[in-house]
Amino acid sequence: MTARNIDGNALSAKVREELAQRAAVLTAQGAQPCLAVILVGEDPASAVYVRNKVVGCEKAGFRSLKYTYPADVAPQEVLAKIAELNADASVHGILVQLPLPKQFNSEEVLEAISPEKDVDGFHAVNFGLLLQGRKSFYPCTPWGVMKMLESENIQLKGAEAVVIGRSNIVGKPMAVMLMSKGATVTICHSQTKDLAFHTKRADIVVAAVGRAKMITGDMIKPGAVVIDVGMNRDENGKLCGDVDFASAREVASLITPVPGGVGPMTITMLLANTVESAQRALEAKSKS
Ligand code: GUN
């Protein structure tokens, strides 16, 4: 069997079109969605991510604010900006690009963002709400994966899902989201004794470890759905995922490529959270 690709660019374009329409309706009601992005330091990868977020906002008709600080900025200055943005009713989403320089306590910064504007879904309050199955902002990458599975009508009820990676940003929320849709979820990580034992029994494998091509075709159950969240460089400096695409696609039924798979969905879901936040703010205003 040769797997079919799940095209993240195509799905992303379709979802962004819907979001642009929602944004236009909100704008006409005087509530143009607005995302504020804070970038500290000169990390080139972070600068590219932030630029893509700003461009994504503008193309969808959102207002976009960007604040940049030198790497040696005092954390208080950034915290003061977050407080100002929290208090500004015209701002619906606040995002601090990670990683932050070492003088920062990232947890303190992320938790300074009002949970109602935490469109990254990283605040402990939002993570707690997600765990309890209550309304929150979902972290964008795992939510994007859920959208991809939904777009392919993948049966999650009763499915065996294996998530590789236990980060707060991807692995843990991914496992919770799959579980909430009825999958039986196993979380594997660097201490897992026999990774292949787990992956070989999985109907759905989500790889989010950050190690190039570590999941090979012989670790995949025939016909499985393989989602690759990894973004690495191979031995030739070429972009690649955590999955060895060439061998895995010979065994899987559906697979996400890198690039062009999960990647584009992350910013799309950030835009979705921002529209949702603008909508909630408008509804709250009309009730008060
Ligand atoms: N750094 C890498 N990915 C992300 C992300 O999704 N959000 C933020 N804020 N920082 C990141």
Side-chain angles (χ1 to χ4, degrees):
M1 176 184 287
T2 302
R4 187 164 55 78
N5 281 6
I6 308 179
D7 183 344
N9 284 320
L11 179 60
S12 211
K14 181 169 162 269
V15 176
R16 287 191 201 202
E17 182 58 44
E18 291 160 9
L19 294 171
Q21 284 172 19
R22 280 181 69 189
V25 172
L26 286 162
T27 302
Q29 294 171 294
Q32 183 184 23
C34 173
L35 175 68
V37 181
I38 294 176
L39 172 64
V40 184
E42 282 85 37
D43 177 51
S46 289
V48 171
Y49 286 133
V50 165
R51 196 176 65 232
N52 289 341
K53 288 169 188 177
V54 169
V55 170
C57 277
E58 288 169 356
K59 282 195 175 158
F62 297 13
R63 189 158 74 102
S64 160
L65 303 171
K66 181 177 155 191
Y67 302 92
T68 54
Y69 296 92
D72 61 355
V73 68
Q76 290 84 332
E77 201 176 319
V78 174
L79 290 168
K81 177 54 74 181
I82 292 173
E84 183 191 315
L85 294 167
N86 279 339
D88 183 342
S90 73
V91 173
H92 305 107
I94 304 169
L95 179 150
V96 177
Q97 187 64 28
L98 300 176
L100 285 165
K102 53 186 181 310
Q103 75 271 26
F104 281 86
N105 173 345
S106 297
E107 267 171 27
E108 181 193 16
V109 173
L110 295 178
E111 310 240 326
I113 298 171
S114 158
E116 288 83 36
K117 298 190 181 189
D118 168 40
V119 285
D120 251 335
F122 291 171
H123 196 292
V125 164
N126 282 319
F127 194 64
L129 291 169
L130 168 66
L131 262 177
Q132 294 187 343
R134 293 161 65 191
K135 200 168 186 177
S136 81
F137 287 120
Y138 299 147
C140 303
T141 300
W143 192 24
V145 171
M146 295 304 283
K147 276 269 166 204
M148 295 180 106
L149 295 172
E150 189 189 309
S151 76
E152 294 290 342
N153 293 312
I154 306 299
Q155 171 74 264
L156 297 178
K157 264 187 215 153
E160 291 287 337
V162 167
V163 176
I164 312 159
R166 55 176 162 177
S167 70
N168 288 337
I169 294 178
V170 183
K172 284 184 206 164
M174 184 80 255
V176 174
M177 287 181 199
L178 288 164
M179 181 177 67
S180 74
K181 292 288 180 191
T184 301
V185 184
T186 303
I187 306 178
C188 297
H189 44 76
S190 54
Q191 311 298 312
T192 298
K193 285 206 180 106
D194 185 351
L195 181 59
F197 166 80
H198 296 284
T199 55
K200 270 188 199 161
R201 350 175 344 264
D203 303 310
I204 300 162
V205 175
V206 181
V209 257
R211 276 183 54 192
K213 302 184 188 179
M214 131 180 219
I215 311 300
T216 46
D218 57 338
M219 298 167 74
I220 306 286
K221 175 172 150 180
V225 176
V226 177
I227 306 287
D228 191 350
V229 180
M231 188 73 89
N232 316 292
R233 297 271 167 195
D234 70 8
E235 57 283 2
N236 304 314
K238 207 171 146 234
L239 209 56
C240 73
D242 293 347
V243 175
D244 178 39
F245 187 78
S247 63
R249 77 191 291 261
E250 296 307 327
V251 188
S253 61
L254 282 168
I255 189 165
T256 62
V258 177
V262 175
M265 293 303 292
T266 298
I267 296 183
T268 300
M269 303 327 286
L270 173 71
L271 301 177
N273 275 340
T274 306
V275 168
E276 180 61 27
S277 180
Q279 180 98 47
R280 288 181 197 172
L282 185 66
E283 281 164 14
K285 200 170 135 198
S286 69
K287 276 190 200 136
S288 65

